[in-house]
Amino acid sequence: MKSMSQISSLKIIPYIILFISIVFSISGQLLMKHTMSQTNEGLFAWEFLKQLTLAVTVYCLGVVNWILALRSVKLSIAYPLTSLNYVGILFGSYYFFNEEITLTRIAGVMTIFLGVLLVVIPLKKSI
């Protein structure tokens, strides 16, 4: 018979897979931006193709994890959580590409994030 801690850890695994999917998605997008920013030789240069292959592979790992997460996580919860990509891209763009983070962008991302919380956090059912 499974203990309560085993049952709890089994319920959280799909969410861990979902968050891994989000991390791969953010990483893949940032790698694609890096690849396209660094290309000077043309789209068929060997170095460009290697970098693009890496970027697409990382992004595809996110898709695979997404599919695995959907086996157990409700789509109505999983899909809104992918808006965490906005947060990751905002900070990744700032850190890796020196893009500006304005108050307007922060307000926009926070609005999206708070909206996601409203969708994902379960409300108590009244009897």
Side-chain angles (χ1 to χ4, degrees):
M1 194 162 231
K2 294 182 182 179
S3 70
M4 286 301 287
S5 63
Q6 288 175 325
I7 292 171
S8 296
S9 65
L10 288 177
K11 288 182 179 180
I12 199 165
I13 289 174
Y15 290 95
I16 292 170
I17 293 170
L18 178 61
F19 284 106
I20 291 171
S21 169
I22 292 168
V23 169
F24 275 128
S25 177
I26 293 167
S27 300
Q29 290 288 343
L30 292 171
L31 285 169
M32 284 184 234
K33 170 66 176 171
H34 173 74
T35 299
M36 295 311 295
S37 298
Q38 302 299 317
T39 186
N40 294 327
E41 301 173 15
L43 298 179
F44 297 106
W46 180 244
E47 192 62 33
F48 170 78
L49 291 174
K50 286 192 318 187
Q51 288 181 6
L52 186 60
T53 300
L54 174 64
V56 171
T57 300
V58 169
Y59 190 79
C60 286
L61 287 171
V63 171
V64 169
N65 278 283
W66 169 256
I67 292 166
L68 292 174
L70 287 181
R71 293 173 74 190
S72 303
V73 179
K74 293 179 181 179
L75 184 60
S76 62
I77 292 174
Y79 195 74
L81 282 173
T82 62
S83 68
L84 290 173
N85 287 333
Y86 292 114
V87 177
I89 293 295
L90 179 71
F91 290 115
S93 297
Y94 171 78
Y95 184 78
F96 293 111
F97 306 115
N98 298 315
E99 292 185 13
E100 187 178 352
I101 297 179
T102 63
L103 286 176
T104 305
R105 286 186 183 168
I106 291 172
V109 169
M110 289 303 296
T111 301
I112 292 167
F113 188 71
L114 291 174
V116 167
L117 286 179
L118 292 174
V119 170
V120 174
I121 294 175
L123 299 174
K124 292 183 180 181
K125 295 180 181 179
S126 57
I127 300 175

